[in-house]
Amino acid sequence: MLNKMPSPSTWVTVSVSSVSCDCLPVSAGSSMAGSEILEQESSYLELCRTPVRFEEISSVNNVFFDEANKQVFAVRAGGAVGVVVRGLDEKQPISFRLEDKGEIKSIKLSPGNRIVAVQRSGKSVDFCNLMGEATEYSQECRGRNCYVLGFCWTSPNEIVFITDQGLELYQVQAEKRSVKLIKSMGTSFVNWFVFSSEGPTLLLSLTPLGNVLQPVLAKVGNLVKLTKFEVEVPVIPKPPRLCLTEPDVTTAVIYGQLYVVVLRHRVRTTPSQAGSEVWLYHLSRDGHTCKIHVLQLNSTGCFATNVVDNLVVIHHRASKTSMVFDIQLKKVSEGPVKLHQPVLPSLPICPFTIQPRAGASLGAGTAVTTCELYSTSWIVFRPDIIMDAGLGYLWSLRLRLPRIVATLPDRLQLVDFLLLRRDCRPVLLNVCSQLLSGGQAGGLAVVSLVFDKLNSVYKEWLEADKSDAAALDGGAGGRPPTPHKPVRSHAVVDQWEMYTSVLVPFAESKTISYKFVIAVLMEYIRSLTQFHIHAQHYLYELVINTLVRNNAFYQLHQLLQYHVLSDSKKLACLMLSLESFYPPAHQLALDMLKMLSPLPQRLSTANDEIVEVLLSKGRVLAALRFVRASGGADIMSARKFLEAASHVGDSLLFFCVFKFFEQRNQRLRNSPHFNPVYV
């Protein structure tokens, strides 16, 4: 029966369907075997906290799932009583009714939810508009003696029938309630098919063994055959029979690339023998397909596959645990093929608590219970969907990044792993803080390598941003801009986030030696310089303030004199403000300004900025000394100095500033009175 639960052996699949490809009928029967649940804190995978709840499968209610739109259908009495459609991204369910014309084998909504397509037989597909008059119209397959294996929407008004003899692409005209054939494509006998909305792309299983896969790209109004490829079969049976079945094959988008995922079962007679494997075939844009990754499962039994945040998650029903693979990490090459082991220890999914339905009457069925994980009633869909039709729950699988920190003791491997994850910035910053909080026990060498990893990604991001900005400015020869947004799979930690979240709290710690603090700060600046990233002034200020706070003036003098800390106007202003603590800081600031402003007009601009900074901080006398030392006292306006002295509220300071300018006036004009031009 097509709407029965798949047998346990088909639990391996991401997209299981006997007829409708990515729209799976399921049934209620399942045995709930109890299992010991690990503590919630140890799990790094969890089911989403806001699942889709639907009417569980029963004798009067069938359940279907459409992978392309991520929608679950609850169909009562063949649709005559009602059809309720719910999705993870849809706030309100979609409800409609259909004529009861027999058992429904597959049902899907078009993109945009305007037309519903229903397959009730092996020869035709029925359509019904959800807007306007709800009159059904039908389309039979054109091929003689062919059987419709399933159908897939490729656009809001185009649908492809997959038959055992090939493909038929139709245009659905909702206003006219008619269906028009656009193109047909004949092939040898089709055993089964897999549909991916990426492209969109169809995979057709050909030959009696089923191991020759024909990719077909569905474009608007056209079907394009790509190069077929063959999946290796360990032993060819005689007589030939189907060796590669639909439950063992799916597609997945990993790091922006489309892969064909094939599960290869192996029977282990001894523990030393290899277990089952997952083969990843890369389907390139030019149509060429090759096997480039092998995931070694080291076990046998029933498996199911999800892809979460570019991680391949393999669920193992026998052990009730999940294995996590990252094809960017931890690989061993054997020629063109890369072998992968799990990057994380195998652990179960975090327990999920089932709440009683809203409005349920008191009594049985209203108690809070824990969902049985890895149940035989679970069905796993791509990329990250898990459904329990017996309970009426649909979840998306999530990654718990903070929990992973404790499972990977190797900090370098952990940083590599986190840099490839979405929304990992807070966790990365926390890992850096933990690495530094142990003082020298953290190891400066490890800290240095972590900084290099972060800044390598930071540099790539800056270069990509620069390329995007150049593209937006327009191309050469007056051509319109063609901005190119590359796929950025890495997280980025910039200087400001590192400064505010990690380095400042670290530098202010009372339990860590300031020498180690300075060493860490200089390592971060060194790493930025190594990747040709300009270090911002606040990093240098943090180094200087840390040295001053610990009276390490000699070390500060050496860092400035030999230009370990890059010269800048803001740094010069900071050094001038430190004159009372360290008198040579005044001359160091002047030398820095001379290096920054070799031309008189540039020097004048820099001097004005420094004077303004000193006056804003109330250091009026320091500003006067700087003006006099730089030779600008004769042309400097007295008003802003007198106003700054007045704001300080020190009458003696105001008197000293006033007498300074009176003496200047006497020297320049033989009169102590102020000229309005200079005031």
Side-chain angles (χ1 to χ4, degrees):
M1 295 293 291
L2 293 172
N3 60 343
K4 291 294 184 182
M5 194 68 185
S7 62
S9 63
T10 61
W11 200 76
V12 299
T13 176
V14 179
S15 55
V16 184
S17 170
S18 301
V19 169
S20 59
C21 182
D22 58 343
C23 188
L24 172 69
V26 293
S27 68
S30 65
S31 59
M32 303 293 284
S35 62
E36 182 180 356
I37 300 175
L38 296 179
E39 292 295 331
Q40 181 173 350
E41 288 75 13
S42 64
S43 301
Y44 49 75
L45 292 170
E46 66 177 355
L47 303 174
C48 68
R49 298 180 181 180
T50 56
V52 174
R53 302 186 68 172
F54 56 91
E55 184 178 356
E56 61 271 15
I57 199 163
S58 64
S59 59
V60 296
N61 183 68
N62 283 341
V63 177
F64 300 83
F65 184 73
D66 179 5
E67 282 185 297
N69 294 326
K70 296 181 176 59
Q71 294 172 324
V72 58
F73 294 73
V75 182
R76 294 179 61 85
V81 177
V83 178
V84 180
V85 185
R86 301 177 186 271
L88 287 171
D89 302 327
E90 296 169 357
K91 296 181 180 179
Q92 295 295 331
I94 302 172
S95 301
F96 55 90
R97 293 189 178 186
L98 298 171
E99 299 178 30
D100 188 0
K101 297 181 178 180
E103 179 186 6
I104 294 178
K105 298 181 178 181
S106 178
I107 180 171
K108 301 177 188 179
L109 285 175
S110 64
N113 301 330
R114 294 181 63 248
I115 309 170
V116 60
V118 183
Q119 182 183 356
R120 296 185 174 95
S121 71
K123 295 296 293 183
S124 65
V125 175
D126 301 325
F127 300 89
C128 182
N129 300 338
L130 298 186
M131 306 295 291
E133 184 180 353
T135 303
E136 292 191 19
Y137 46 103
S138 181
Q139 177 62 48
E140 292 189 358
C141 57
R142 293 296 182 92
R144 291 185 177 182
N145 301 323
C146 66
Y147 182 87
V148 179
L149 300 177
F151 64 90
C152 300
W153 288 98
T154 59
S155 72
N157 62 345
E158 290 186 1
I159 191 170
V160 60
F161 291 4
I162 300 93
T163 72
D164 56 358
Q165 297 179 10
L167 303 176
E168 298 175 4
L169 180 63
Y170 292 92
Q171 182 184 55
V172 182
Q173 300 172 329
E175 296 78 9
K176 299 180 180 180
R177 292 195 295 276
S178 64
V179 183
K180 175 184 177 182
L181 179 66
I182 301 176
K183 184 173 182 177
S184 61
M185 176 184 293
T187 64
S188 58
F189 184 80
V190 179
N191 301 295
W192 46 263
F193 73 97
V194 172
F195 176 73
S196 170
S197 56
E198 182 74 12
T201 306
L202 282 156
L203 279 179
L204 307 180
S205 168
L206 310 178
T207 72
L209 298 178
N211 65 323
V212 175
L213 300 181
Q214 172 67 70
V216 179
L217 184 62
K219 295 185 177 181
V220 177
N222 195 16
L223 297 172
V224 180
K225 276 187 179 181
L226 304 180
T227 306
K228 66 177 71 172
F229 64 98
E230 183 176 347
V231 177
E232 304 169 22
V233 177
V235 179
I236 299 177
K238 293 183 179 180
R241 57 180 174 81
L242 198 62
C243 295
L244 184 64
T245 59
E246 179 188 356
D248 295 334
V249 181
T250 185
T251 60
V253 178
I254 309 172
Y255 292 110
Q257 301 296 318
L258 181 60
Y259 290 89
V260 178
V261 182
V262 180
L263 175 66
R264 303 310 293 153
H265 296 278
R266 290 184 180 177
V267 178
R268 300 173 71 179
T269 57
T270 63
S272 60
Q273 289 182 324
S276 300
E277 296 178 338
V278 172
W279 297 351
L280 300 184
Y281 291 81
H282 180 222
L283 186 57
S284 61
R285 297 187 184 277
D286 61 4
H288 180 67
T289 306
C290 59
K291 182 174 72 173
I292 58 176
H293 296 286
V294 173
L295 313 183
Q296 298 177 323
L297 306 183
N298 303 317
S299 57
T300 58
C302 296
F303 301 93
T305 306
N306 280 135
V307 175
V308 181
D309 199 1
N310 292 314
L311 295 171
V312 181
V313 181
I314 308 294
H315 308 291
H316 188 216
R317 194 180 68 186
S319 63
K320 296 185 181 295
T321 59
S322 300
M323 296 168 275
V324 175
F325 294 84
D326 191 337
I327 62 174
Q328 296 278 50
L329 302 174
K330 206 173 183 179
K331 52 195 174 186
V332 177
S333 297
E334 284 191 0
V337 179
K338 300 176 179 63
L339 308 181
H340 299 265
Q341 292 288 333
V343 295
L344 298 173
S346 299
L347 290 175
I349 298 172
C350 180
F352 183 84
T353 301
I354 298 177
Q355 301 291 338
R357 290 185 181 272
S361 59
L362 295 176
T366 61
V368 176
T369 59
T370 301
C371 170
E372 181 188 4
L373 302 178
Y374 306 92
S375 165
T376 53
S377 64
W378 271 23
I379 306 176
V380 181
F381 300 96
R382 60 173 177 265
D384 57 359
I385 305 297
I386 296 177
M387 174 196 285
D388 194 319
L391 294 176
Y393 275 80
L394 179 73
W395 301 275
S396 62
L397 189 64
R398 305 288 176 83
L399 199 61
R400 306 171 78 198
L401 286 178
R403 304 299 181 189
I404 294 176
V405 175
T407 64
L408 280 178
D410 187 334
R411 299 294 94 175
L412 297 179
Q413 183 182 352
L414 175 61
V415 170
D416 286 335
F417 179 87
L418 292 176
L419 279 171
L420 297 169
R421 308 282 78 81
R422 295 190 308 265
D423 305 323
C424 71
R425 193 176 289 108
V427 181
L428 266 175
L429 294 172
N430 186 49
V431 168
C432 292
S433 297
Q434 292 179 6
L435 185 63
L436 299 179
S437 62
Q440 297 185 16
L444 191 59
V446 176
V447 172
S448 177
L449 291 174
V450 169
F451 287 159
D452 287 345
K453 291 178 181 294
L454 297 177
N455 289 328
S456 174
V457 175
Y458 183 27
K459 177 63 176 179
E460 293 177 4
W461 180 78
L462 290 174
E463 291 295 332
D465 236 25
K466 189 184 299 182
S467 299
D468 291 346
L472 289 173
D473 289 339
R479 290 176 295 180
T482 55
H484 172 63
K485 287 286 185 182
V487 176
R488 297 178 189 171
S489 55
H490 294 75
V492 177
V493 178
D494 60 25
Q495 298 181 58
W496 179 249
E497 291 170 323
M498 179 63 70
Y499 170 77
T500 56
S501 302
V502 178
L503 297 180
V504 170
F506 170 65
E508 293 175 350
S509 174
K510 305 293 185 181
T511 61
I512 300 177
S513 166
Y514 87 91
K515 294 183 179 180
F516 184 66
V517 172
I518 293 299
V520 169
L521 296 178
M522 295 310 300
E523 270 302 314
Y524 186 66
I525 294 173
R526 182 228 27 106
S527 179
L528 291 171
T529 305
Q530 177 178 323
F531 290 98
H532 306 286
I533 302 173
H534 175 69
Q536 296 297 321
H537 65 91
Y538 43 76
L539 296 173
Y540 296 129
E541 291 178 3
L542 185 59
V543 173
I544 292 173
N545 290 331
T546 303
L547 291 172
V548 171
R549 191 163 53 243
N550 292 276
N551 297 319
F553 295 109
Y554 176 77
Q555 189 175 358
L556 171 61
H557 198 116
Q558 295 293 307
L559 292 175
L560 291 170
Q561 186 174 3
Y562 293 103
H563 305 289
V564 177
L565 304 180
S566 299
D567 297 341
S568 69
K569 295 176 183 178
K570 293 183 179 180
L571 199 59
C573 294
L574 177 61
M575 294 306 300
L576 287 172
S577 67
L578 298 174
E579 182 182 358
S580 59
F581 300 98
Y582 185 57
H586 179 80
Q587 186 59 45
L588 288 171
L590 292 179
D591 294 341
M592 190 179 299
L593 286 171
K594 291 177 182 178
M595 294 295 295
L596 290 169
S597 306
L599 300 178
Q601 60 270 25
R602 293 176 59 189
L603 180 59
S604 175
T605 303
N607 292 348
D608 291 342
E609 293 179 356
I610 293 174
V611 169
E612 293 295 339
V613 171
L614 291 174
L615 292 179
S616 67
K617 295 182 178 181
R619 300 184 56 80
V620 183
L621 291 181
L624 282 176
R625 293 191 194 100
F626 175 74
V627 171
R628 185 171 58 184
S630 59
D634 293 347
I635 60 174
M636 188 64 67
S637 171
R639 178 185 294 275
K640 60 182 176 183
F641 285 87
L642 292 171
E643 288 179 347
S646 176
H647 291 156
V648 173
D650 188 340
S651 58
L652 181 59
L653 173 64
F654 184 85
F655 176 77
C656 292
V657 174
F658 184 82
K659 295 301 291 184
F660 172 83
F661 284 104
E662 271 195 337
Q663 293 173 8
R664 183 198 68 172
N665 295 340
Q666 183 70 39
R667 176 170 53 81
L668 293 177
R669 300 190 304 276
N670 296 322
S671 171
H673 301 294
F674 287 93
N675 188 329
V677 175
Y678 294 101
V679 178

